[in-house]
Amino acid sequence: MNEDGSPPDRGVHRVRHDLSGPQSLSTTVTVAVADVAGVEPAEIPEQLYDVIDPEALDKLFKPRDDGTPRRGGRLSFSLYGHHVTIRGDGSITVQPGLARIKQLGGNLLIVGSVPDSVVDAASTPLLGDTTRHRTRVFALHDRSVSTARSRLSMAGSTGKNAHIVDYHTGSRSAATDETVQVGPTMEHVDGDLDDFRDEIVRTIRRLDGEGGGFVPAELRFCFDTLRPLVERHDDALVDAFLTPIFEAVRDVSGMGHFVLPVEFDSQPVRAIASKFDAVIELRAGGSGPEQRWHLRETDYSTEWFDL
């Protein structure tokens, strides 16, 4: 497991296939993906048939009848949770889906009817490890400010690199939440959902500008919780609320995660799961809390592993 609580990944893997050699291109691809995934090559071929015809793949980049190479062209597809790109010169790149999200930015959905302590354990690593510079933005929707303060503290972020945007549909809960404390900067939003969304987007863009631009995965954003949003409003309003936030996170190559504490196969999750780059499913396993990642773009789900 990586420091951010995600499944193991090994970045971008590059190999070169000998287009005039005896080994088929499909075999080279199979072995390359197996190497990155850490599995035996025998586990890959069945899934290869599901996404592409191996015989057609072998013929696609073969030299012409007169022996001249086909230098141009490129083919990309997803296999076993990885992005595969083959070029006409025989070069092949294999990149895990999660690594691609980290590189380009993306938004994750955390689901599962589990205790808050389990959500904390899944969310905290996604706020980024303490060995690298991170800027963290925490948006609260009808949640106690202590939720954000506690999780940010667990992530080692209690100073000026942490920011909380707080929104409540009713009266604010505990008086202690309103008390000025040393730690993350605080912005209370007293308007409607549009004001809440706009403040989140403004905060991300302001911090990006003040820092001279974020490097990939420097911004870590958490939204807790989506439950009142999806339970009280229709799909169109939910989409209008989330889309600008998604775009703001991706524009700065950040990583955002959104908490929806209901079961993975529930209607609220089915209604919005496709909007996210990945869904992290939580459960209380026999030997402790577990998680399983569902990657949308590669249509791949990991096995259950310890949280």
Side-chain angles (χ1 to χ4, degrees):
M1 185 169 68
N2 295 318
E3 290 181 345
D4 61 2
S6 61
D9 66 67
R10 305 179 187 179
V12 179
H13 181 60
R14 294 180 172 86
V15 298
R16 184 170 292 277
H17 175 74
D18 183 357
L19 294 167
S20 60
Q23 180 167 286
S24 67
L25 178 56
S26 58
T27 297
T28 302
V29 169
T30 297
V31 172
V33 172
D35 284 346
V36 178
V39 300
E40 292 298 322
E43 298 183 38
I44 306 294
E46 183 176 349
Q47 295 204 15
L48 180 62
Y49 278 98
D50 290 338
V51 297
I52 197 167
D53 182 344
E55 293 185 4
L57 176 62
D58 293 337
K59 295 176 182 177
L60 187 59
F61 295 112
K62 273 192 171 183
R64 295 181 175 87
D65 292 339
D66 62 2
T68 58
R70 301 177 187 270
R71 295 296 183 188
R74 184 180 69 174
L75 176 66
S76 296
F77 55 89
S78 296
L79 176 64
Y80 206 76
H82 297 69
H83 296 269
V84 179
T85 299
I86 306 169
R87 290 177 171 81
D89 62 357
S91 63
I92 301 170
T93 60
V94 180
Q95 183 178 32
L98 183 65
R100 189 175 174 87
I101 293 173
K102 291 178 180 179
Q103 178 187 16
L104 302 179
N107 295 282
L108 315 175
L109 177 64
I110 296 179
V111 304
S113 183
V114 294
D116 283 350
S117 60
V118 177
V119 174
D120 287 343
S123 171
T124 300
L126 293 172
L127 290 170
D129 63 89
T130 57
T131 61
R132 300 180 183 179
H133 176 70
R134 308 289 189 190
T135 298
R136 300 171 173 98
V137 177
F138 208 117
L140 292 164
H141 188 354
D142 288 343
R143 291 281 276 165
S144 168
V145 171
S146 62
T147 299
R149 291 189 185 277
S150 174
R151 206 175 298 163
L152 287 166
S153 178
M154 287 188 286
S157 186
T158 57
K160 61 182 181 180
N161 66 334
H163 310 268
I164 299 173
V165 181
D166 179 37
Y167 176 74
H168 285 259
T169 53
S171 59
R172 301 192 182 276
S173 53
T176 55
D177 285 347
E178 301 298 317
T179 303
V180 176
Q181 303 179 33
V182 175
T185 62
M186 178 76 65
E187 181 67 38
H188 294 299
V189 178
D190 295 320
D192 57 18
L193 278 173
D194 288 348
D195 296 316
F196 182 31
R197 175 201 62 208
D198 293 346
E199 182 59 37
I200 292 171
V201 172
R202 275 196 301 270
T203 298
I204 292 172
R205 290 176 176 166
R206 173 176 59 81
L207 294 171
D208 179 54
E210 290 176 353
F214 292 127
V215 299
E218 178 183 345
L219 172 75
R220 297 303 178 104
F221 172 74
C222 175
F223 188 104
D224 195 348
T225 165
L226 288 175
R227 190 163 192 164
L229 180 70
V230 300
E231 289 183 347
R232 300 170 190 169
H233 304 285
D234 61 27
D235 292 349
L237 190 146
V238 171
D239 186 65
F241 179 85
L242 290 176
T243 298
I245 300 175
F246 289 168
E247 292 174 349
V249 171
R250 290 195 183 101
D251 284 347
V252 298
S253 298
M255 285 190 67
H257 65 280
F258 298 68
V259 177
L260 179 56
V262 299
E263 292 296 338
F264 175 71
D265 59 356
S266 64
Q267 191 280 329
V269 173
R270 290 195 299 270
I272 66 172
S274 63
K275 304 179 189 296
F276 293 84
D277 298 289
V279 177
I280 305 169
E281 181 183 3
L282 306 179
R283 75 175 183 184
S287 58
E290 296 177 321
Q291 59 180 320
R292 178 168 64 177
W293 288 57
H294 306 271
L295 303 177
R296 177 179 57 81
E297 190 171 354
T298 55
D299 193 25
Y300 177 72
S301 297
T302 69
E303 299 295 328
W304 286 101
F305 61 100
D306 292 341
L307 191 58

